[in-house]
Amino acid sequence: MSAGKIISEGYKNHVALLQKHWDNALQAEGYDAALIHAGSKLVSFLDDYEYPFRCNPHLLWWLPLTHHHDSALLIRPGERPKLFYYQPDDYWYSPPADPASWWADEFEVVPVRDANAWKQAGINERTAYIGDAPALAEAVNSSQLNPARLLNRIHLERTRKTDYEIVCMAEAARLGAVAHMAAEQAFREGMSEYDIHQRYCMSIKMVDAELPYGNIVALNEHGAILHYQQHEQQVPDQVRSFLIDAGATVHGYACDITRTYATETGEFSDLILAMDTMQQRLCAAVVEGLDYRDLHLRAHLDIAGILKDFDIIRPSAEDAVASGLSAVFYPHGLGHYLGLQTHDVAGLIADVDGTPIPRPEGHPFLRLTRTLEAGNVLTIEPGLYFIEPLLRKWRESGDVSAINWGKVEALAPYGGIRIEDDMVVTKGAPRNLTRDAFAAL
Ligand code: GLY
Ligand code: MN
Ligand code: MN
């Protein structure tokens, strides 16, 4: 069966479940209805050009309307959800196509020409309004706009993906894996970052604005800039290494994949292999009931062990973690929830009150502190980098003798290593969407 058919078959159950989640959440928080607004196009200052549109993820949870600004969905417990489908009579821009039956059949669809047609639903104080469209903020009472407890309830539900969502993400992983292969090939052919990026976009048939996040396409030392955003058009004199962190979306659902390559075998390629083996061990540990913070700390210990094995640092792995030395080389979190948002919601809260689950001390960038449950989708993305500002800081205020500076100098021109896969937590063995996608090519 085609991916499209599997997706559309799972969709009916997905919508039925969302109806239940929203009915329960509205009842628990004392609302009669919710109106979810897709969002409006924002225009740049003193101009009439618009920023790329990103649909409200709460609307995308219900509907695959990634490009549809100003549509809105009215949810009332016990009733078929009503979609105000914004389809302007326009000749400046092409209006949205007519609704497709695979999703439209689950809704009462009302095509509207007026961007404010959602107001026909009747503004009332027992309706919650979800979104950031300026028109919402102007029309409704601020206490009804994005009520925190209601959103926390929904965000916690969003952490457990439905079969439909997992199929979308598996398909995104497949597209991502194909494009990653094309990018690796472009790197092997000696192309610039810019040309590798173009090759990636051509392979996936998406323009930048459709990707879940800006592609990180980094040759050599650029790999040490965690969210490196340039696409350099010049090929460096000597190409040593390549780090690519690039995704794809299917009906708004993201994949988030990173791979690192070396041009030649040697110490850096050995380091990549060691990181890859370690990353796969971490992936295998993603089981229901695991406190993700523990896995993040284990990654620190493992990376410190690799640094020690390669004679890059001198203290034991335990001491390197305790002193903060491991964070000089690995300064980000192990991963995050993934879904409609690359950094998906509710990674740091315990309950509907939004009570924070604290990060381990000294780990300010960890984005996921929860205990894992079946249905969670998350990334595992350990890294090891030679980051000049962090090394300089250690040299100025840390134990200078803890680092083998000669080794650092030799490896810094390679930038760094990150390997990132997308994992589904199940009742049994975890599912690695990324490795499965690469293996199926
Ligand atoms: N691509 C962004 C991240 O890995 O979190
Ligand atoms: Mn990630
Ligand atoms: Mn990433």
Side-chain angles (χ1 to χ4, degrees):
M1 207 177 348
S2 73
K5 185 136 177 65
I6 299 171
I7 287 171
S8 57
E9 288 194 351
Y11 181 69
K12 216 180 177 56
N13 291 337
H14 171 78
V15 170
L17 199 64
L18 265 49
Q19 181 89 57
K20 252 192 234 157
H21 291 328
W22 269 96
D23 288 3
N24 291 341
L26 288 171
Q27 195 184 16
E29 298 303 324
Y31 292 99
D32 289 346
L35 186 119
I36 305 176
H37 193 289
S40 298
K41 286 199 154 188
L42 297 178
V43 177
S44 57
F45 186 50
L46 301 180
D47 204 340
D48 61 354
Y49 275 97
E50 293 145 348
Y51 294 109
F53 175 69
R54 291 258 177 173
C55 185
N56 178 353
H58 284 288
L59 190 76
L60 288 178
W61 201 34
W62 284 91
L63 285 150
L65 301 181
T66 46
H67 295 71
H68 296 58
H69 59 94
D70 293 299
S71 285
L73 183 69
L74 180 69
I75 303 155
R76 228 184 256 291
E79 290 179 17
R80 201 172 175 74
K82 181 171 177 172
L83 175 65
F84 297 92
Y85 187 71
Y86 182 52
Q87 217 177 9
D89 222 357
D90 198 357
Y91 56 88
W92 289 100
Y93 296 99
S94 64
D98 287 340
S101 71
W102 74 267
W103 58 262
D105 289 355
E106 310 308 311
F107 300 87
E108 180 192 342
V109 181
V110 185
V112 295
R113 302 274 183 241
D114 173 8
N116 284 312
W118 57 271
K119 291 182 184 168
Q120 293 161 13
I123 306 282
N124 106 29
E125 71 279 2
R126 287 175 62 87
T127 300
Y129 295 85
I130 312 297
D132 71 345
L136 276 187
E138 284 159 20
V140 312
N141 198 318
S142 63
S143 65
Q144 292 165 260
L145 195 54
N146 303 315
R149 281 176 55 92
L150 181 68
L151 282 193
N152 286 338
R153 273 183 199 280
I154 295 300
H155 289 170
L156 289 165
E157 296 296 357
R158 272 178 53 190
T159 67
R160 289 177 289 270
K161 268 47 182 183
T162 63
D163 292 347
Y164 158 79
E165 294 180 288
I166 289 173
V167 176
C168 287
M169 294 173 85
E171 180 60 8
R174 190 187 67 77
L175 296 177
V178 171
H180 268 260
M181 293 267 287
E184 185 196 351
Q185 180 62 30
F187 155 68
R188 303 273 178 217
E189 289 169 21
M191 289 188 162
S192 68
E193 292 168 350
Y194 176 84
D195 285 328
I196 297 171
H197 171 66
Q198 297 303 328
R199 191 71 87 74
Y200 186 96
C201 292
M202 264 163 63
S203 164
I204 211 157
K205 296 190 171 61
M206 287 181 190
V207 297
D208 288 55
E210 291 168 309
L211 296 170
Y213 53 90
N215 277 0
I216 298 165
V217 180
L219 293 174
N220 297 346
E221 44 280 276
H222 292 159
I225 301 168
L226 298 181
H227 284 170
Y228 176 70
Q229 77 283 26
Q230 316 279 19
H231 294 140
E232 192 69 62
Q233 299 201 1
Q234 259 328 90
V235 181
D237 288 340
Q238 197 195 343
V239 177
R240 293 174 285 270
S241 58
F242 175 43
L243 185 155
I244 174 165
D245 183 345
T249 54
V250 169
H251 299 319
Y253 289 91
C255 72
D256 181 6
I257 302 174
T258 310
R259 289 292 182 265
T260 308
Y261 307 98
T263 40
E264 289 173 3
T265 52
E267 186 136 54
F268 188 72
S269 68
D270 290 346
L271 209 44
I272 295 175
L273 274 180
M275 285 292 287
D276 190 63
T277 306
M278 188 273 297
Q279 190 263 5
Q280 291 196 58
R281 274 202 311 271
L282 295 173
C283 288
V286 168
V287 293
E288 191 169 50
L290 175 83
D291 184 332
Y292 192 79
R293 294 175 295 187
D294 291 343
L295 198 62
H296 170 78
L297 294 174
R298 181 177 145 190
H300 265 269
L301 210 53
D302 288 354
I303 290 165
I306 290 173
L307 289 164
K308 172 86 178 155
D309 288 348
F310 280 75
D311 193 30
I312 297 165
I313 62 168
R314 300 210 168 92
S316 68
E318 289 75 11
D319 287 350
V321 175
S323 66
L325 178 59
S326 60
V328 172
F329 296 90
Y330 170 41
H332 59 74
L334 178 61
H336 47 84
Y337 279 148
L338 180 71
L340 289 165
Q341 289 154 256
T342 303
H343 299 150
D344 216 16
V345 286
L348 300 164
I349 62 167
D351 52 35
V352 299
D353 291 319
T355 311
I357 306 173
R359 299 177 172 101
E361 209 177 316
H363 296 265
F365 302 117
L366 185 58
R367 295 177 196 270
L368 177 53
T369 53
R370 302 192 78 225
T371 295
L372 304 185
E373 292 177 281
N376 291 165
V377 180
L378 51 93
T379 67
I380 294 290
E381 49 179 307
L384 192 170
Y385 315 85
F386 302 93
I387 300 172
E388 220 283 312
L390 297 183
L391 290 162
R392 190 185 333 123
K393 203 163 148 211
W394 185 271
R395 199 189 278 127
E396 285 165 6
S397 52
D399 170 10
V400 180
S401 68
I403 292 180
N404 179 347
W405 294 98
K407 266 284 165 75
V408 166
E409 203 180 315
L411 288 164
Y414 294 84
I417 298 167
R418 180 164 65 254
I419 297 167
E420 175 175 29
D421 289 346
D422 304 340
M423 305 295 301
V424 183
V425 184
T426 74
K427 295 273 177 206
R431 190 172 156 200
N432 187 324
L433 297 178
T434 313
R435 301 268 168 175
D436 289 354
F438 275 105
L441 294 180

